Amino acid sequence: MSSATSTVDKKFGQNDPKIVQYAEQVFVHSDPLLNEIAVRSEKEGLPVIQVSQMDGLHLEVIARSLGAKKMVEIGTLGGYSGICLLRGLQPGGKLYTFEGSAHHAKVATESFKKAGFSDRVEIFVGTAIQNLPKIEPYGPFDLVFIDADKVSYPAYLDWAAKNLRVGGTVLADNTFAFGLIADEHVSDPQDKADVEALREFNRKLADPKGVFRSTILPTGEGLSYGVKVRA
Ligand SMILES: C[S@@+](CC[C@H](N)C(=O)[O-])C[C@H]1O[C@@H](n2cnc3c(N)ncnc32)[C@H](O)[C@@H]1O
């Protein structure tokens, strides 16, 4: 076995789909609860846009390692990633989750009930940026997970920067912009707006003069990951 020295060889799975498959086989186990949520969400007409099971695992493990007691999720959908976060929550803790669609929130309420988490989660229905100020009195928070409308990511980051404790973490999914983040020419107007917002988000999160020390995990979708290092 020769050792890889070039950074080109050090990407997730080293560009070998067999290694990605191996990692999933070893770390991602059968999960009837998450499967039920995915199946019921689809039956209820929700878009199939929840995090992958492995990305859900990243959320749980990061929440656990933080000892998170107060968490915020922006973009609930049917409760799939919410369950992953709740699994990583400390006893006595709470997840505040924000969802624009009343129907999605109803499906998520059922998911949280089935998982036995109803007493540890509160869903706010409506435009997240309008509802987020309602929980500010309960802060500062340990973790903010962003997974909703892409154009609002910079605004969600500003909110997280103000409302996380020092040492708290912000995570954001889809920050490779569905493969478009590094494309010079994005012609579709909606894609263009999303890509520009995601670039602004990553730039702000990575800015050494800002409040975060950050990285981007090379997951399938790109998971931006920042720790608040100063007030
Ligand atoms: C990618 S899905 C969230 C997936 C979820 N985090 C999971 O992995 O299970 C995005 C969700 O954000 C919601 N959403 C979109 N724009 C929103 C907004 N401005 N305010 C609140 N929710 C919004 C959508 O209705 C959708 O349910």
Side-chain angles (χ1 to χ4, degrees), residues 37 46-52 59 73-83 85 97-102 104-105 124-131 145-150 152-153 156 173-174 178:
I37 293 170
L46 271 55
V48 185
I49 50 173
Q50 67 269 21
V51 295
S52 69
L59 298 178
E73 176 184 59
I74 306 173
T76 318
L77 194 66
Y80 190 102
S81 57
I83 298 288
L85 288 166
T97 183
F98 293 80
E99 175 50 54
S101 152
H104 295 186
F124 291 78
V125 181
T127 308
I129 208 68
Q130 283 169 12
N131 277 334
F145 172 52
I146 302 170
D147 189 19
D149 52 322
K150 307 309 162 202
S152 302
Y153 271 39
Y156 297 145
D173 198 25
N174 307 121
F178 309 99

